[in-house]
Structures are given as C-alpha cells and as structure tokens.
Amino acid sequence: MAKIAVKKVDEFYSEAERKIIKSKYRDILKMAKPYLQGDDLKQIRKAFDISMDAHKEMRRKSGEPYIYHPLDVAMICVEEIGLGPTAIVCALLHDVVEDTELTLDDIEGQFGPKVAKIIDGLTKIAENFEQSQSAQAENFRKMLLTLSEDVRVILIKLADRLHNMRTLQSMARNSQLKIAHETIYIYAPLAHRLGLYQIKSELEDLYLKYNEPEAYAEIAKKLKSRKKKREEFINTFMEPISKRLKAANIDFYIKGRPKHIYSIWNKIRKQNTSFENIYDLFAIRIILKDISPTANDREKAACWLAYSIVTDEYKPNPDRLKDWISTPRSNGYESLHTTVMSHTGVWVEVQIRTERMDEVAERGYAAHWKYKGADTSLNKPLDQWINQVRETLESKDNSAMEFLEDFRGNLYNEDVFVFSPKGDLKVLRKGATVLDFAYEIHTEIGSKCTAGKLNGHLVPISHVLANGDQLEILTTKTQKPSEDWLRFVVTSKAKARIKDALKEENKVYIGDGKDIITKKLKILGLENNLETLNQLRAYFNKKDYNDLYYFFGKGYIQPDEIRRFKQERESHENKRKKADLKDEAYKNAKNFERAVKKNNGEDSLLIGDDLQVLDYTLSKCCSPIPGDDVFGFLTVNEGIKVHRTSCPNSQQLLTTYGNRVIKARWSSQMEKAHLATIHMKGIDRMGIIQDISTIISEELHINMRGVNVNTDGGVFEGQIKVFVFDTKHLDKLIKKLGKIKGVDNVSRIRNEAA
Ligand code: MN
C-alpha cells in the first residue's frame, strides 16, 4: 500500500507566518498569566492545537492564515475585556464547529460541558446561502438565549465582531456594508448595555469609517489638527485644580481624551451644526488613586471631596450635575459629572471617579467580576438587566424579528428609578409607565392593573414615570390585558407578557369566530369549503383565516355581513356571465400598453404631469404624497390606483397580482410640491367637509395633510394643509373651493414655512 504523506500543521505556513502565530500565542499567555490556575495552561494549549489543526487549510480574505483570527479574538478577550482562561479556550475554538467537521460533542468530550455550551452559543444556526433577515434575527436570539446562562458568550461574540470590524478592509464592499450595519444595529448597543465603553466606541467609529468614509476622515483630521491646542487648554485648566487637590493630599491622574468620532458626527447631525460649533468635544477626567474599593463610602466621599475642590475654583452649571455614584446606571457605570465655566469662558465637562470606577466604565462587565468578590452589591443593576433579558427570552411564541425589535428597543436608553410603597427601588427604562412597573413586580399584578397611586394621586396605567416616583399599583380581579396596552408600554418584559396573554385570548375569539361563520354559511346555504373561506378572507381583506375568524369572534364584523358578501358575489357572477367580459384588468393592461406608446415610450405613470394620458387616482388606504415611493395598480373596476410601496396592502398586491403593477413616479413639478395652508370661512351645513375633501383629493389629485375646522353658532372656520406644486395649481384649488355651497371666503395663509 502506498504511504500517504501527511503534511504537518506547520508546513501550511511560511517561516514568517509561523513566527507571527507563535508570538501571538505567547502574548496571550503572558497577558493571562495572573489568572491561570491548575491545568488551565494545558487546556489552552489543547484548544490552540485543535484550532491550528482545524483551520490549517483556511485563509482569510486578506490572504493571512485564518488562525490569526481566533488568536486575535482570544487576545481581545483577555487584554481588552479582562476575561480569563475559559474565555481564551472558547475564543480559540469559536469558529471550529461552524467551519470544520468537529462537532459540539467532540468539544464536550475534550473540554467539558461548560466550554461546549459557550461554543454552541457562538455557533451560528444553519442557514441558506441567501441569509434572510429572520435567520439573522434567529441567530441573535440564539446568542442572547445563552446570555442568561453565561454572559461570556456575548463578550466573546463582541470580541469576534470587533476583530472582524478591525480587519474589514479586505472584504468586498457589499460585505463591508452588511457587517458594518449589523454592528451598529445590534453589537454596538449591546456593548453599550454591557458597559463596554471602549469597545462600543471603537465599533461605532469603525462603522462610520466604512459607512461614511468621507465624514469620518474629515472629523479625524480636524481632531488631529487641534490636538496640541486641546492639550494646552487642559493643562492651563487643570493647573489650579491640581494644586488644590495636591494640597488636600489626594492622589490622582488626569485623562483628557476627546469624544469618539462617531459621537461627534452624531452630534453634528442631530444638532444640525458644524464641528467648529461643538463645545464639548472632550471631557476632563480626574481619576482618584488608591481608594480601597471595599470601602464603598470612602470612594463616594473621596469623589465628592474632589468635586468640592473643582467647584471651588470653577463655577458649576447646576443643571449639568450628574451623580452616578449614589445610583449607578443600569450598565454599572459609576461617575460624578459636572460642567464648569473655565476662566477663558468655555464650559468644560469634568468627570470624577476612582480607579475602580474607571476600569468598570471602560471595560464593563468583566471588570465588575473582578471586584465582585469584594462587594456583591456593586453589580446589582447589571444583574437586574440580565434577569430582564432572561425573562424576555422566556416568552414563548414571539417571532425572532419581533423579539429582536423589542430587545433592541431596550438596549439604548437611559433609566428611570422608581420606588415601591415599601421603598424598594426598581430600575426601568426611560418612558416606562405605571403598567410597566406593575409587570416589573409580577405578571399577575401587571395583567390585573387598573391604575396607579403616585404620591397619593390616582394616575392612569399609561402614566409615564419620573425619577424618584413612589408608586402603588391598584388592581381589580376583572381586569385583563388588551391590545391597547401595547401602545404605551415600553419594557420588553411587559410587551412580551401582554402579547402572551393576548395570544391566549385570541385563541378563544378565533374559536368563536369559526363557529359563527360555520353557522351563518349553513343558514345562507353556502358551501363551507376552502374556496368560500378564501373568498370571504379576500372580501373582508384579512391576511389569513385566523384573522378572519378573529374579527367575527370579536364582533368587529357582524355575521349578517356574510349575507352582503353572498349578494355581491352573486351579482358579480351574473354580470360576468351576461357581459362575458374579458378580464377588465387585462383590458386595462392593453390600454396601458397603448398609452405607453402614446406616452413617447415612457413606461411609467407620471403623477402630476398635465400631459399624462393615463387616468389614475391616489389610493385612500395610504394617501401617497409627493416624494413617497409609489406604484400604480390596475384595479378591475376603478382604473389605476396609486399606492405607497409601504402601504399595508401593497405587499399582497405586489406578490399576488404582480402583472397588474405599473411603475409610477412623481413628475418633477410634483416632486417639488410644497405645503400650503388654506384658510376657509363659511356657513356650516351637513357634508361640507366631505365636499371640500372630494374636490381636493379626487378632482385635483392634491393631497391633504391636515384639516382643522371649528364650528361656532352655524359658522365654520378652519385651516387645511395641502400639497401643491405651484401657485397656478393653488389658485385653481381656491377657485373651486370658493364655489362650494356655503363657503364664503377662501384664502391662502402666506407665512407658511415649508
Ligand atoms: Mn470568528
């Protein structure tokens, strides 16, 4: 038998590459050394060998050996997040199951169940080549499910993402954009929520670098060119404070780094201003050294002493004092912020914190762990948050997309602190209502909640809570969750619980609706089969059978309307038989084709163009306005209707009747349409508003934005906002409106801004 030459792992790499691999590996061990115990070193070596072997034939897009990636991810875990040996093992193995034939069972056999669980959380679920949006959401959900078991999954995932973002350069442009968007959509918010400030900032900056390269480069350049001036300013500013701090025997150092580029860019955009006009480009951080973290009160006292010294020298702005030491943010952030007036007349933000607080602020969760042994209360808000995530995840039937949206909504936010009657503190997201608070206490209390008692006063369940509120929840036995509630609750826990309850309740209505329809069909002598049901569904414009049943069960549609359906169906069928018409829509399509020829070959409907030969109306279901993305749809009896692409009906129209869809766009004059306000006065009579709106929307194809009419003693007076594209158009409208019976005076209000 011929001997098969087996290539050794080393032979897959060049001399230089081998050197790099070795040095990366050594650096990890050096960095992790203080945390290594027992056979940690052996486990890490084993993970390294397995990863080396598994990835030996793979290269990254840049041409570099793939093994660089797990090594770099492991390094980020130790160096930048502060994780220990288990995380190193997992980081080294994180792509092994996904990319090679090694299975989770193999991993469990080699490293035990804990490592296998984390690797499982890091392994993407199987998906098609064309990754759908919901498959992605499903992946996030899976990843987050493991969060409640072991937060290291998310931390390693963030390290993985950070390294991929750092090496995005060699990817194709569309992959760059896709990865960058995912990063800003979920990973940066996650890093923020876990208190990983530095990683969050870097992820955001890298997103901007790839998504808006020019804006990024410009801000980076400006920051660099002002660096020296900034440093000089900080030195002058700090001089008198430093003297006073030293005199008070306080040991400290200063950090004066500028804001990260993304947040500057965001500020420029949000405030619609320029780089030059942003005054708080940087904050000065005073970090107090050698304060024992076990003595919590001493840390607090030291920070307030430093605050007192700073404000002895510079006048503080009382509105800008933020005390995140007495009540830390829910991601664990602790710091004292103040904004003071410098001697040169510029506001400067000063942040005061201890070394421990600073480490927690920059490195987040892992830094918490490090200090947790000393005092478990340090970690409370973050633990609370992880509990909340766990509870959200427990909600059974929510689709992955729904879940992701809810979850994301809870990522970026400030918190609100509310007390129970007994003085227990609950941290909720800003905007939380009485009902959110009730669900926070217990699901049962939430679902029976009827009102709140806030500082002695009754408030509705939708009342938005403020910091420091003390709230008592009132319940009644007969209360139950309703659809309305979803409109004002903000916490994912409340949303998930309400949705669960509604789903249960809906099942009852669906059953009732089914019975009602069955009975009625029998009475009317209609066949109860799929064809009839499908026609009913279409007739009542419902998305599926359950939806149809639900509307009957709930009483939104009366059983007698089925009679009307029957009559219309019959008359429609008769008409068809008699006239033996070809499909109207088909005819319309033929007309359309002919019209296109007349239209100088222009194959799309030009809305608002006087020369347009095709007749159309703007649909009422979505009322398109100039600038909206729209399409035309050939209806059977009513010609072409223009819908917005975002219209709730559009998906069904586009997917079911694609051949009746006509491209449509706004004519250039229509694109330039602007808002005008018309003032009207006259004698009130029944139906006058109807007459006005008919003229505006049907006769002139103009879109109404807002109507505001008051009647007083038989006289009506009001304002109507409309979109018009020129004054001629507006004059025509005013003339027509003036002819309506009862209308006495029509004029345009001139001071319209838009
Ligand atoms: Mn990876």
Side-chain angles (χ1 to χ4, degrees), residues 475-497:
T475 58
T476 50
K477 270 190 195 146
T478 49
Q479 178 70 304
K480 60 183 180 182
S482 86
E483 201 106 28
D484 282 356
W485 291 11
L486 288 172
R487 281 188 296 140
F488 56 81
V489 294
V490 297
T491 57
S492 43
K493 184 178 180 179
K495 277 187 198 164
R497 293 298 177 272

PDB file of all heavy atoms in Angstrom, residues 475-497:
ATOM      1  N   THR A 475     -55.154  47.098  41.613  1.00  0.00           N
ATOM      2  CA  THR A 475     -55.587  46.014  40.723  1.00  0.00           C
ATOM      3  C   THR A 475     -57.054  45.690  40.963  1.00  0.00           C
ATOM      4  O   THR A 475     -57.596  46.000  42.013  1.00  0.00           O
ATOM      5  CB  THR A 475     -54.780  44.717  40.983  1.00  0.00           C
ATOM      6  OG1 THR A 475     -54.947  44.357  42.350  1.00  0.00           O
ATOM      7  CG2 THR A 475     -53.321  44.902  40.673  1.00  0.00           C
ATOM      8  N   THR A 476     -57.695  45.107  39.934  1.00  0.00           N
ATOM      9  CA  THR A 476     -59.020  44.530  40.150  1.00  0.00           C
ATOM     10  C   THR A 476     -59.041  43.154  39.503  1.00  0.00           C
ATOM     11  O   THR A 476     -58.336  42.909  38.527  1.00  0.00           O
ATOM     12  CB  THR A 476     -60.156  45.358  39.503  1.00  0.00           C
ATOM     13  OG1 THR A 476     -59.791  45.605  38.142  1.00  0.00           O
ATOM     14  CG2 THR A 476     -60.402  46.654  40.221  1.00  0.00           C
ATOM     15  N   LYS A 477     -59.874  42.287  40.060  1.00  0.00           N
ATOM     16  CA  LYS A 477     -59.907  40.903  39.592  1.00  0.00           C
ATOM     17  C   LYS A 477     -60.364  40.800  38.141  1.00  0.00           C
ATOM     18  O   LYS A 477     -59.930  39.933  37.403  1.00  0.00           O
ATOM     19  CB  LYS A 477     -60.866  40.088  40.468  1.00  0.00           C
ATOM     20  CG  LYS A 477     -60.155  39.470  41.656  1.00  0.00           C
ATOM     21  CD  LYS A 477     -61.081  38.477  42.344  1.00  0.00           C
ATOM     22  CE  LYS A 477     -60.525  38.148  43.731  1.00  0.00           C
ATOM     23  NZ  LYS A 477     -61.569  37.909  44.723  1.00  0.00           N
ATOM     24  N   THR A 478     -61.284  41.691  37.729  1.00  0.00           N
ATOM     25  CA  THR A 478     -61.882  41.550  36.401  1.00  0.00           C
ATOM     26  C   THR A 478     -61.002  42.127  35.281  1.00  0.00           C
ATOM     27  O   THR A 478     -61.292  41.925  34.116  1.00  0.00           O
ATOM     28  CB  THR A 478     -63.239  42.284  36.358  1.00  0.00           C
ATOM     29  OG1 THR A 478     -63.035  43.587  36.899  1.00  0.00           O
ATOM     30  CG2 THR A 478     -64.279  41.545  37.172  1.00  0.00           C
ATOM     31  N   GLN A 479     -59.967  42.836  35.640  1.00  0.00           N
ATOM     32  CA  GLN A 479     -59.105  43.452  34.621  1.00  0.00           C
ATOM     33  C   GLN A 479     -58.397  42.383  33.789  1.00  0.00           C
ATOM     34  O   GLN A 479     -58.061  41.314  34.296  1.00  0.00           O
ATOM     35  CB  GLN A 479     -58.063  44.331  35.321  1.00  0.00           C
ATOM     36  CG  GLN A 479     -57.075  45.001  34.392  1.00  0.00           C
ATOM     37  CD  GLN A 479     -57.690  46.079  33.548  1.00  0.00           C
ATOM     38  OE1 GLN A 479     -58.651  45.840  32.822  1.00  0.00           O
ATOM     39  NE2 GLN A 479     -57.151  47.277  33.622  1.00  0.00           N
ATOM     40  N   LYS A 480     -58.204  42.666  32.483  1.00  0.00           N
ATOM     41  CA  LYS A 480     -57.362  41.766  31.685  1.00  0.00           C
ATOM     42  C   LYS A 480     -56.632  42.532  30.589  1.00  0.00           C
ATOM     43  O   LYS A 480     -57.095  43.599  30.159  1.00  0.00           O
ATOM     44  CB  LYS A 480     -58.188  40.613  31.107  1.00  0.00           C
ATOM     45  CG  LYS A 480     -59.291  41.045  30.213  1.00  0.00           C
ATOM     46  CD  LYS A 480     -60.084  39.833  29.749  1.00  0.00           C
ATOM     47  CE  LYS A 480     -61.208  40.307  28.824  1.00  0.00           C
ATOM     48  NZ  LYS A 480     -62.062  39.276  28.340  1.00  0.00           N
ATOM     49  N   PRO A 481     -55.511  41.998  30.129  1.00  0.00           N
ATOM     50  CA  PRO A 481     -54.680  42.713  29.151  1.00  0.00           C
ATOM     51  C   PRO A 481     -55.436  42.989  27.858  1.00  0.00           C
ATOM     52  O   PRO A 481     -56.246  42.167  27.425  1.00  0.00           O
ATOM     53  CB  PRO A 481     -53.537  41.732  28.872  1.00  0.00           C
ATOM     54  CG  PRO A 481     -53.497  40.843  30.062  1.00  0.00           C
ATOM     55  CD  PRO A 481     -54.906  40.728  30.530  1.00  0.00           C
ATOM     56  N   SER A 482     -55.213  44.135  27.256  1.00  0.00           N
ATOM     57  CA  SER A 482     -55.839  44.427  25.964  1.00  0.00           C
ATOM     58  C   SER A 482     -54.786  44.934  24.981  1.00  0.00           C
ATOM     59  O   SER A 482     -53.699  45.344  25.364  1.00  0.00           O
ATOM     60  CB  SER A 482     -56.939  45.473  26.137  1.00  0.00           C
ATOM     61  OG  SER A 482     -56.382  46.767  26.081  1.00  0.00           O
ATOM     62  N   GLU A 483     -55.183  44.874  23.724  1.00  0.00           N
ATOM     63  CA  GLU A 483     -54.318  45.288  22.618  1.00  0.00           C
ATOM     64  C   GLU A 483     -53.775  46.708  22.829  1.00  0.00           C
ATOM     65  O   GLU A 483     -52.623  47.001  22.527  1.00  0.00           O
ATOM     66  CB  GLU A 483     -55.170  45.266  21.344  1.00  0.00           C
ATOM     67  CG  GLU A 483     -54.380  45.170  20.073  1.00  0.00           C
ATOM     68  CD  GLU A 483     -54.484  43.777  19.457  1.00  0.00           C
ATOM     69  OE1 GLU A 483     -55.510  43.100  19.669  1.00  0.00           O
ATOM     70  OE2 GLU A 483     -53.528  43.387  18.780  1.00  0.00           O
ATOM     71  N   ASP A 484     -54.633  47.583  23.330  1.00  0.00           N
ATOM     72  CA  ASP A 484     -54.253  48.973  23.592  1.00  0.00           C
ATOM     73  C   ASP A 484     -52.986  49.103  24.408  1.00  0.00           C
ATOM     74  O   ASP A 484     -52.203  50.009  24.225  1.00  0.00           O
ATOM     75  CB  ASP A 484     -55.351  49.672  24.430  1.00  0.00           C
ATOM     76  CG  ASP A 484     -56.515  50.048  23.577  1.00  0.00           C
ATOM     77  OD1 ASP A 484     -56.427  49.829  22.351  1.00  0.00           O
ATOM     78  OD2 ASP A 484     -57.501  50.550  24.131  1.00  0.00           O
ATOM     79  N   TRP A 485     -52.850  48.215  25.337  1.00  0.00           N
ATOM     80  CA  TRP A 485     -51.723  48.306  26.265  1.00  0.00           C
ATOM     81  C   TRP A 485     -50.385  48.321  25.539  1.00  0.00           C
ATOM     82  O   TRP A 485     -49.439  48.945  25.986  1.00  0.00           O
ATOM     83  CB  TRP A 485     -51.755  47.139  27.261  1.00  0.00           C
ATOM     84  CG  TRP A 485     -52.892  47.218  28.245  1.00  0.00           C
ATOM     85  CD1 TRP A 485     -53.952  48.066  28.188  1.00  0.00           C
ATOM     86  CD2 TRP A 485     -53.057  46.429  29.425  1.00  0.00           C
ATOM     87  NE1 TRP A 485     -54.778  47.851  29.258  1.00  0.00           N
ATOM     88  CE2 TRP A 485     -54.257  46.846  30.038  1.00  0.00           C
ATOM     89  CE3 TRP A 485     -52.317  45.410  30.015  1.00  0.00           C
ATOM     90  CZ2 TRP A 485     -54.729  46.274  31.209  1.00  0.00           C
ATOM     91  CZ3 TRP A 485     -52.789  44.841  31.186  1.00  0.00           C
ATOM     92  CH2 TRP A 485     -53.979  45.268  31.779  1.00  0.00           C
ATOM     93  N   LEU A 486     -50.341  47.606  24.422  1.00  0.00           N
ATOM     94  CA  LEU A 486     -49.077  47.522  23.694  1.00  0.00           C
ATOM     95  C   LEU A 486     -48.639  48.878  23.160  1.00  0.00           C
ATOM     96  O   LEU A 486     -47.484  49.083  22.846  1.00  0.00           O
ATOM     97  CB  LEU A 486     -49.198  46.529  22.530  1.00  0.00           C
ATOM     98  CG  LEU A 486     -49.271  45.067  22.945  1.00  0.00           C
ATOM     99  CD1 LEU A 486     -49.586  44.203  21.738  1.00  0.00           C
ATOM    100  CD2 LEU A 486     -47.964  44.622  23.591  1.00  0.00           C
ATOM    101  N   ARG A 487     -49.606  49.800  23.061  1.00  0.00           N
ATOM    102  CA  ARG A 487     -49.249  51.098  22.502  1.00  0.00           C
ATOM    103  C   ARG A 487     -48.448  51.963  23.470  1.00  0.00           C
ATOM    104  O   ARG A 487     -47.770  52.875  23.058  1.00  0.00           O
ATOM    105  CB  ARG A 487     -50.500  51.842  22.033  1.00  0.00           C
ATOM    106  CG  ARG A 487     -50.992  51.317  20.684  1.00  0.00           C
ATOM    107  CD  ARG A 487     -52.096  52.177  20.148  1.00  0.00           C
ATOM    108  NE  ARG A 487     -53.240  52.089  21.038  1.00  0.00           N
ATOM    109  CZ  ARG A 487     -54.004  53.113  21.362  1.00  0.00           C
ATOM    110  NH1 ARG A 487     -53.733  54.296  20.887  1.00  0.00           N
ATOM    111  NH2 ARG A 487     -55.031  52.954  22.155  1.00  0.00           N
ATOM    112  N   PHE A 488     -48.541  51.708  24.747  1.00  0.00           N
ATOM    113  CA  PHE A 488     -47.795  52.586  25.641  1.00  0.00           C
ATOM    114  C   PHE A 488     -46.751  51.915  26.532  1.00  0.00           C
ATOM    115  O   PHE A 488     -45.917  52.590  27.087  1.00  0.00           O
ATOM    116  CB  PHE A 488     -48.746  53.468  26.474  1.00  0.00           C
ATOM    117  CG  PHE A 488     -49.767  52.709  27.293  1.00  0.00           C
ATOM    118  CD1 PHE A 488     -49.406  52.151  28.505  1.00  0.00           C
ATOM    119  CD2 PHE A 488     -51.067  52.579  26.844  1.00  0.00           C
ATOM    120  CE1 PHE A 488     -50.330  51.461  29.259  1.00  0.00           C
ATOM    121  CE2 PHE A 488     -52.007  51.892  27.604  1.00  0.00           C
ATOM    122  CZ  PHE A 488     -51.630  51.330  28.818  1.00  0.00           C
ATOM    123  N   VAL A 489     -46.791  50.601  26.684  1.00  0.00           N
ATOM    124  CA  VAL A 489     -45.725  50.005  27.492  1.00  0.00           C
ATOM    125  C   VAL A 489     -44.410  50.064  26.724  1.00  0.00           C
ATOM    126  O   VAL A 489     -44.405  50.070  25.499  1.00  0.00           O
ATOM    127  CB  VAL A 489     -46.009  48.538  27.905  1.00  0.00           C
ATOM    128  CG1 VAL A 489     -47.181  48.469  28.848  1.00  0.00           C
ATOM    129  CG2 VAL A 489     -46.213  47.668  26.692  1.00  0.00           C
ATOM    130  N   VAL A 490     -43.306  50.141  27.442  1.00  0.00           N
ATOM    131  CA  VAL A 490     -42.012  50.236  26.773  1.00  0.00           C
ATOM    132  C   VAL A 490     -41.044  49.122  27.154  1.00  0.00           C
ATOM    133  O   VAL A 490     -40.109  48.846  26.410  1.00  0.00           O
ATOM    134  CB  VAL A 490     -41.333  51.601  27.020  1.00  0.00           C
ATOM    135  CG1 VAL A 490     -42.150  52.729  26.438  1.00  0.00           C
ATOM    136  CG2 VAL A 490     -41.083  51.839  28.496  1.00  0.00           C
ATOM    137  N   THR A 491     -41.221  48.496  28.291  1.00  0.00           N
ATOM    138  CA  THR A 491     -40.256  47.459  28.667  1.00  0.00           C
ATOM    139  C   THR A 491     -40.551  46.179  27.905  1.00  0.00           C
ATOM    140  O   THR A 491     -41.710  45.873  27.613  1.00  0.00           O
ATOM    141  CB  THR A 491     -40.309  47.152  30.181  1.00  0.00           C
ATOM    142  OG1 THR A 491     -41.635  46.774  30.528  1.00  0.00           O
ATOM    143  CG2 THR A 491     -39.895  48.360  30.988  1.00  0.00           C
ATOM    144  N   SER A 492     -39.493  45.432  27.586  1.00  0.00           N
ATOM    145  CA  SER A 492     -39.728  44.229  26.795  1.00  0.00           C
ATOM    146  C   SER A 492     -40.468  43.186  27.622  1.00  0.00           C
ATOM    147  O   SER A 492     -41.193  42.370  27.080  1.00  0.00           O
ATOM    148  CB  SER A 492     -38.426  43.672  26.233  1.00  0.00           C
ATOM    149  OG  SER A 492     -37.426  43.701  27.188  1.00  0.00           O
ATOM    150  N   LYS A 493     -40.291  43.239  28.933  1.00  0.00           N
ATOM    151  CA  LYS A 493     -41.000  42.268  29.770  1.00  0.00           C
ATOM    152  C   LYS A 493     -42.517  42.474  29.662  1.00  0.00           C
ATOM    153  O   LYS A 493     -43.263  41.526  29.396  1.00  0.00           O
ATOM    154  CB  LYS A 493     -40.564  42.427  31.222  1.00  0.00           C
ATOM    155  CG  LYS A 493     -41.188  41.389  32.128  1.00  0.00           C
ATOM    156  CD  LYS A 493     -40.695  41.542  33.553  1.00  0.00           C
ATOM    157  CE  LYS A 493     -41.321  40.487  34.453  1.00  0.00           C
ATOM    158  NZ  LYS A 493     -40.835  40.622  35.833  1.00  0.00           N
ATOM    159  N   ALA A 494     -42.960  43.714  29.833  1.00  0.00           N
ATOM    160  CA  ALA A 494     -44.395  43.989  29.755  1.00  0.00           C
ATOM    161  C   ALA A 494     -44.928  43.627  28.376  1.00  0.00           C
ATOM    162  O   ALA A 494     -45.965  42.975  28.246  1.00  0.00           O
ATOM    163  CB  ALA A 494     -44.663  45.452  30.078  1.00  0.00           C
ATOM    164  N   LYS A 495     -44.188  44.037  27.332  1.00  0.00           N
ATOM    165  CA  LYS A 495     -44.646  43.730  25.966  1.00  0.00           C
ATOM    166  C   LYS A 495     -44.826  42.235  25.772  1.00  0.00           C
ATOM    167  O   LYS A 495     -45.829  41.774  25.242  1.00  0.00           O
ATOM    168  CB  LYS A 495     -43.624  44.245  24.947  1.00  0.00           C
ATOM    169  CG  LYS A 495     -43.788  45.709  24.637  1.00  0.00           C
ATOM    170  CD  LYS A 495     -42.854  46.103  23.507  1.00  0.00           C
ATOM    171  CE  LYS A 495     -42.685  47.600  23.486  1.00  0.00           C
ATOM    172  NZ  LYS A 495     -41.532  48.004  22.692  1.00  0.00           N
ATOM    173  N   ALA A 496     -43.813  41.470  26.197  1.00  0.00           N
ATOM    174  CA  ALA A 496     -43.856  40.027  25.982  1.00  0.00           C
ATOM    175  C   ALA A 496     -45.023  39.401  26.747  1.00  0.00           C
ATOM    176  O   ALA A 496     -45.744  38.554  26.219  1.00  0.00           O
ATOM    177  CB  ALA A 496     -42.538  39.403  26.425  1.00  0.00           C
ATOM    178  N   ARG A 497     -45.237  39.842  27.986  1.00  0.00           N
ATOM    179  CA  ARG A 497     -46.305  39.261  28.792  1.00  0.00           C
ATOM    180  C   ARG A 497     -47.685  39.603  28.213  1.00  0.00           C
ATOM    181  O   ARG A 497     -48.591  38.777  28.209  1.00  0.00           O
ATOM    182  CB  ARG A 497     -46.224  39.756  30.232  1.00  0.00           C
ATOM    183  CG  ARG A 497     -45.007  39.277  30.979  1.00  0.00           C
ATOM    184  CD  ARG A 497     -44.994  37.743  31.098  1.00  0.00           C
ATOM    185  NE  ARG A 497     -43.779  37.292  31.751  1.00  0.00           N
ATOM    186  CZ  ARG A 497     -42.641  37.027  31.116  1.00  0.00           C
ATOM    187  NH1 ARG A 497     -42.589  37.113  29.797  1.00  0.00           N
ATOM    188  NH2 ARG A 497     -41.566  36.665  31.781  1.00  0.00           N
TER     189      ARG A 497
END
